Amino acid sequence: MITAICDDEGIYRTHVKRLCQDYFIERNISSEIIEFSSGEEFLSSVEEINIVLLDIEMNGINGITVKEQLEKLNRDIRIIYITSHIQFMENAFGKNVYSFLTKPVMKDKFNKVMDLIMRDMEEDFIVKIDNKDNPYINCKTIIYIKAQDKYTTVKTREGEYLVRRSMNDWENILANRFFYRIHKSYIINLAYVKRIDSLVLMDNGEKVTISKKYIHSFKESYYNYIKRKVR
């Protein structure tokens, strides 16, 4: 993982870099930290950056323009804005913007935002499905997987795909990624569960069958998932 700091003032880059270093050490997370002194330098980078702590006000290309360029380039980089002037925030919302932190950045607020991003990244996992139109999908978009003879139907937010892969294979691929097999024919994404009773209501309105033998362990797993999300 690569974390970037983009700020034209060296004193703030140094401060935020220390926050990043402490955060990753305390949580035993491996991340390279790189610095940029301008928006132009950041946008010209070919590094596979995952997170950027981005100053809104910079000489030349400012942080808002950087965000707009990332959207045009479809670069999936999570953004934490840093600013001295909150009046600029109204123009800074957009795709992948997680938060706004005011200078000087406080450790507790920084850690809280980074925890949110880390949880989100845990669920962000690309898997190959060998579909002609869409060969890869992000597991975060999967609502459920249903067994269908030698194939499985993968229902996502974007569409439905028929994949030649067994349910056991899917269980192995999705292990520890907030999915749960509630029936011999169904694996569901806990993020899309709306209600649990004799069936599981997903937030797209579909109801999924749950086996009696799974219901207690499933409810426990789901409630643990909810607790983790609201920490």
Side-chain angles (χ1 to χ4, degrees):
M1 184 172 72
I2 300 178
T3 301
I5 302 162
C6 184
D7 194 315
D8 59 0
E9 295 184 80
I11 188 170
Y12 288 118
R13 290 200 308 273
T14 300
H15 173 63
V16 173
K17 185 175 182 180
R18 171 57 62 187
L19 291 175
C20 288
Q21 289 171 332
D22 289 347
Y23 179 86
F24 292 126
I25 289 170
E26 288 167 9
R27 287 157 177 78
N28 195 29
I29 297 172
S30 176
S31 180
E32 180 184 355
I33 302 167
I34 54 178
E35 299 179 47
F36 300 96
S37 60
S38 70
E40 290 89 342
E41 185 184 2
F42 174 78
L43 288 172
S44 66
S45 171
V46 295
E47 299 280 358
E48 291 293 327
I49 295 166
N50 304 101
I51 303 167
V52 60
L53 292 116
L54 180 61
D55 186 23
I56 291 182
E57 295 177 88
M58 292 185 288
N59 293 321
I61 296 178
N62 64 28
I64 294 170
T65 302
V66 168
K67 182 240 339 171
E68 292 169 349
Q69 289 298 312
L70 292 177
E71 289 174 349
K72 288 180 181 177
L73 295 169
N74 201 29
R75 292 185 67 182
D76 190 25
I77 300 175
R78 293 162 174 82
I79 299 170
I80 301 172
Y81 271 124
I82 300 173
T83 182
S84 299
H85 303 284
I86 61 173
Q87 66 266 28
F88 293 105
M89 290 183 184
E90 61 181 281
N91 296 317
F93 290 97
K95 181 183 178 184
N96 288 340
V97 177
Y98 276 75
S99 188
F100 304 87
L101 300 176
T102 54
K103 295 180 179 180
V105 178
M106 306 304 291
K107 182 174 181 176
D108 59 340
K109 293 183 178 179
F110 172 82
N111 286 355
K112 188 174 181 179
V113 176
M114 289 295 289
D115 283 344
L116 174 64
I117 291 176
M118 290 300 108
R119 288 200 300 266
D120 190 62
M121 289 180 70
E122 278 185 341
E123 300 173 27
D124 209 6
F125 177 63
I126 305 300
V127 64
K128 189 174 183 180
I129 60 170
D130 290 322
N131 180 278
K132 183 175 67 174
D133 299 321
N134 193 8
Y136 297 92
I137 55 174
N138 189 328
C139 290
K140 194 174 178 180
T141 70
I142 297 174
I143 300 171
Y144 64 75
I145 298 167
K146 181 181 179 181
Q148 190 169 328
D149 297 325
K150 296 179 181 179
Y151 294 83
T152 47
T153 297
V154 182
K155 180 79 171 186
T156 75
R157 289 186 303 189
E158 289 77 29
E160 196 172 277
Y161 306 97
L162 190 62
V163 180
R164 193 178 180 89
R165 181 174 288 148
S166 73
M167 295 293 279
N168 289 338
D169 287 342
W170 277 116
E171 277 194 292
N172 291 331
I173 291 168
L174 300 173
N176 302 315
R177 293 194 177 274
F178 309 114
F179 285 80
Y180 198 92
R181 189 167 185 174
I182 62 172
H183 187 275
K184 66 178 182 179
S185 298
Y186 283 100
I187 297 172
I188 64 171
N189 187 338
L190 300 180
Y192 293 98
V193 173
K194 188 172 183 180
R195 190 176 69 243
I196 305 169
D197 42 44
S198 58
L199 298 171
V200 179
L201 177 65
M202 309 303 288
D203 74 356
N204 67 344
E206 293 189 58
K207 293 182 178 180
V208 181
T209 302
I210 178 169
S211 295
K212 287 183 179 179
K213 68 177 181 178
Y214 292 131
I215 193 161
H216 294 299
S217 59
F218 167 64
K219 284 183 177 180
E220 184 178 355
S221 295
Y222 179 66
Y223 294 139
N224 287 336
Y225 166 78
I226 293 297
K227 281 188 228 175
R228 177 169 179 165
K229 292 292 284 184
V230 299
R231 261 187 236 165

